[in-house]
């Protein structure tokens, strides 16, 4: 039997048996090497070279650590109060606040899960105190707005995409700004339409005398995106060094400034960050050996030849890729799409002259859509675990946000300059 079929069968079997995806990928890689009669030491070589020769990869655990510190250090509550002053008086004010909080938090964490588990949980609790907000609507807003995390820089998925594609991390971060802002504005429009139709209340006004204290409380957390992006694009530090700056910045705020993190809670943050980073590392390790197998079997080259033989235009190819990812997202974890399928598509992307930065933003947005639709929508499961709100209720209220994201994905596919304008304006030479 073809060793590639054995690899695919073991991988599919592991996923169906609910085995952790990293273990499934490693098991599939080992099965491939055995079927080929190759030395199993090749796996250690591929994994070791992939993990330890990548400077960019160091940013991932550092961003995870920074996000967990902010969630444990009352930063979410401070950002919530700050955003409440700005948009709380709009219709459906608490839902609008959640979207704006997600925009701000996105500039600090780069993680959708961290967004939902931190500020998202704060806003759900606030909304459920008012009878006008249903459980499903509150959770749907949080799940949808959490997708902003990996689109607005910094972004953990963009760092990983840069690792597998060779695209510039700085250019990818800039490319996510305009689509991220568009996502936020469209979500706020969806909330406004729903709020007007349901006659949802405006939030109670914050007394003017409380504004200075609230603005001061929120000013320091809001400084993090400015420090990170300003440092990266001024050349003061690299994106990887920016992740270290983010971790130190968050740690100083939580321990020295706010004194909200004691030794015990800090140890909990370290354990949780280590656990999350280990999960990501295992998935990366599995992807390196799978990509070795696919390359050895000539799969990416065959994919490029097949696409060339079909004489597809770049736009048609991107539309088909979007459709493929949306279908696969119903059955596969998003990490599989990013680390296994993207490398197979990259030769075809380069052959058609598609910009790697544009393709990366489309990939990340596809992943975010995969996070919010069943049966493998990770954000749905995380929110259900944190709040107890059934996934069915979230989906009933969340379909307008899903439709909005699909329409935005179509617009970004058809009009690449929406994505590429800012990086090109800032002087990044894109290819």
């Amino acid at each position: 039997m073809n060793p590639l079929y054995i690899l695919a069968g073991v991988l599919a079997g592991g996923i169906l048996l609910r085995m952790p995806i990293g273990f499934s990928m490693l098991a599939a890689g080992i099965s491939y090497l055995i079927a080929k009669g190759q030395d199993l030491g090749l796996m250690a070589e591929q994994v070791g070279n992939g993990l330890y020769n990548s400077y960019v990869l160091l940013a991932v655990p550092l961003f995870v650590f920074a996000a967990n510190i902010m969630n444990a250090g009352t930063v979410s509550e401070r950002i919530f109060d700050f955003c409440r002053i700005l948009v709380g008086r709009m219709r459906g004010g608490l839902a609008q606040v959640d979207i704006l909080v997600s925009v701000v938090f996105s500039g600090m964490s780069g993680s959708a899960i961290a967004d939902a588990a931190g500020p998202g949980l704060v806003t759900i609790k606030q909304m459920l105190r008012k009878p006008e907000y249903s459980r499903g609507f509150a959770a749907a807003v949080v799940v949808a707005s959490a997708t902003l995390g990996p689109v607005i820089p910094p972004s953990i998925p963009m760092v990983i995409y840069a690792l597998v594609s060779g695209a510039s991390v700085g250019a990818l971060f800039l490319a996510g700004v305009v689509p991220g802002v568009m996502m936020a504005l469209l979500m706020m429009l969806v909330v406004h339409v729903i709020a007007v139709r349901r006659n949802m209340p405006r939030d109670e006004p914050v007394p003017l005398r409380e504004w200075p204290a609230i603005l001061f409380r929120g000013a320091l957390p809001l400084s993090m995106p400015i420090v990170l992006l300003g440092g990266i694009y001024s050349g003061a530090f690299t994106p990887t060094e920016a992740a270290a700056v983010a971790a130190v910045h968050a740690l100083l705020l939580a321990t020295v400034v706010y004194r909200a993190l004691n030794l015990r809670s800090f140890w909990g943050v370290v354990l949780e960050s280590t656990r999350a980073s280990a999960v990501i590392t295992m998935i990366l390790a599995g992807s390196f050996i799978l990509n070795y197998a696919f390359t050895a079997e000539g799969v990416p080259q065959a994919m490029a030849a097949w696409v060339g033989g079909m004489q597809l235009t770049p736009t048609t190819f991107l539309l088909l890729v979007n459709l493929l990812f949306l279908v696969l997202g119903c059955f596969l974890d998003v990490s599989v799409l990013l680390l296994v399928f993207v490398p197979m598509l990259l030769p075809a992307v380069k052959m058609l002259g598609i910009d790697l930065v544009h393709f990366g933003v489309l990939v990340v947005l596809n992943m975010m859509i995969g996070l919010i639709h069943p049966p493998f929508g990770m954000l749905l499961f995380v929110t259900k675990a944190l709040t107890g709100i059934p996934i069915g209720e979230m989906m009933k209220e969340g379909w307008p946000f899903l439709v909005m994201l699909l329409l935005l994905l179509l617009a970004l596919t058809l009009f690449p300059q929406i994505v590429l304008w800012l990086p090109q304006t800032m002087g990044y030479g894109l290819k």
Side-chain angles (χ1 to χ4, degrees):
M1 182 181 290
N2 190 321
L4 205 56
Y5 294 159
I6 295 175
L7 181 148
V10 172
L11 180 62
I15 293 173
L16 291 174
L17 292 173
R18 313 292 291 181
M19 183 187 296
I21 186 65
F23 293 149
S24 298
M25 295 164 79
L26 288 172
I30 292 172
S31 301
Y32 169 82
L33 292 177
I34 293 174
K36 287 283 288 187
Q38 292 183 303
D39 185 357
L40 292 181
L42 269 173
M43 187 175 77
E45 178 186 347
Q46 292 297 317
V47 171
N49 288 337
L51 290 178
Y52 297 111
N53 287 340
S54 176
Y55 179 65
V56 171
L57 193 56
L58 288 173
V60 175
L62 290 170
F63 278 131
V64 170
F65 182 58
N68 286 335
I69 287 177
M70 288 185 291
N71 279 340
T74 72
V75 174
S76 298
E77 291 84 351
R78 295 170 189 272
I79 297 174
F80 176 86
D81 292 337
F82 181 91
C83 294
R84 185 178 169 190
I85 290 178
L86 300 180
V87 297
R89 291 294 292 159
M90 298 174 66
R91 283 283 185 185
L94 290 177
Q96 303 285 16
V97 168
D98 176 73
I99 295 170
L100 188 57
V101 168
S102 293
V103 171
V104 175
F105 199 80
S106 297
M108 305 177 191
S109 73
S111 167
I113 302 300
D115 195 334
L121 191 57
V122 173
T123 49
I124 283 181
K125 290 178 180 177
Q126 292 290 333
M127 280 189 273
L128 293 185
R129 291 175 181 173
K130 297 181 179 292
E132 295 86 355
Y133 296 94
S134 68
R135 295 190 309 171
F137 178 76
V141 172
V142 166
V143 165
S145 65
T147 60
L148 290 165
V151 177
I152 296 176
S155 165
I156 292 174
M158 285 184 182
V159 171
I160 297 175
Y161 172 81
L163 172 68
V164 300
S165 68
S168 163
V169 177
L172 285 165
F173 281 4
L174 279 175
V177 172
V178 173
V181 171
M182 292 177 66
M183 285 173 65
L185 292 175
L186 289 171
M187 288 179 191
M188 295 182 82
L189 178 61
V190 170
V191 167
H192 177 73
V193 171
I194 294 174
V196 170
R197 290 180 60 186
R198 300 182 184 180
N199 196 28
M200 287 183 177
R202 302 177 190 271
D203 199 13
E204 296 177 2
V206 179
L208 284 175
R209 65 178 181 273
E210 297 181 13
W211 281 38
I214 292 174
L215 293 175
F216 177 76
R217 281 163 49 89
L220 286 176
L222 288 170
S223 67
M224 186 183 289
I226 298 173
V227 171
L228 291 183
L229 299 182
I232 292 172
Y233 301 121
S234 68
F237 41 73
T238 67
T240 301
E241 292 164 346
V245 171
V248 173
H249 190 286
L251 188 59
L252 289 175
L253 285 182
T255 56
V256 178
V257 180
Y258 300 141
R259 299 184 183 276
L261 203 64
N262 56 34
L263 186 60
R264 182 174 181 178
S265 55
F266 174 73
W267 181 243
V269 167
V270 171
L271 289 177
E272 179 57 34
S273 301
T274 303
R275 188 180 299 113
S277 299
V279 170
I280 295 172
T281 302
M282 288 298 296
I283 294 171
L284 284 167
S287 72
F288 290 135
I289 187 63
L290 289 191
N291 290 331
Y292 165 80
F294 291 138
T295 302
E297 296 294 326
V299 174
Q301 294 75 16
M303 180 77 71
W306 179 68
V307 171
M310 293 181 66
Q311 298 183 330
L312 298 176
T313 65
T315 300
T316 304
F317 173 77
L318 289 176
L319 290 172
L320 290 175
V321 169
N322 288 339
L323 183 61
L324 173 67
F325 277 15
L326 291 173
V327 172
L328 292 177
C330 295
F331 308 102
L332 297 177
D333 187 270
V334 294
S335 56
V336 178
L337 300 180
L338 179 61
L339 293 167
V340 176
F341 284 89
V342 168
M344 287 195 292
L345 295 171
L346 285 175
V349 170
K350 295 174 182 177
M351 182 191 69
L352 292 172
I354 297 170
D355 191 282
L356 288 178
V357 172
H358 178 221
F359 185 67
V361 172
L362 295 182
V363 166
V364 171
L365 185 52
N366 267 295
M367 288 175 56
M368 294 307 98
I369 294 172
L371 285 175
I372 65 173
H373 71 69
F376 282 99
M378 182 61 69
L379 279 173
L380 299 175
F381 288 101
V382 168
T383 305
K384 180 181 184 298
L386 292 172
T387 64
I389 299 173
I391 291 177
E393 292 184 24
M394 296 185 219
M395 291 307 303
K396 182 180 179 181
E397 295 280 8
W399 68 265
F401 298 101
L402 186 57
V403 170
M404 177 275 296
L405 287 175
L406 291 171
L407 291 175
L408 179 61
L409 177 63
L410 178 62
L412 297 183
T413 301
L414 297 178
F415 305 102
Q417 280 306 116
I418 298 175
V419 174
L420 301 179
W421 170 76
L422 187 57
Q424 291 174 343
T425 301
M426 294 295 289
Y428 280 87
L430 305 177
K431 296 181 180 180

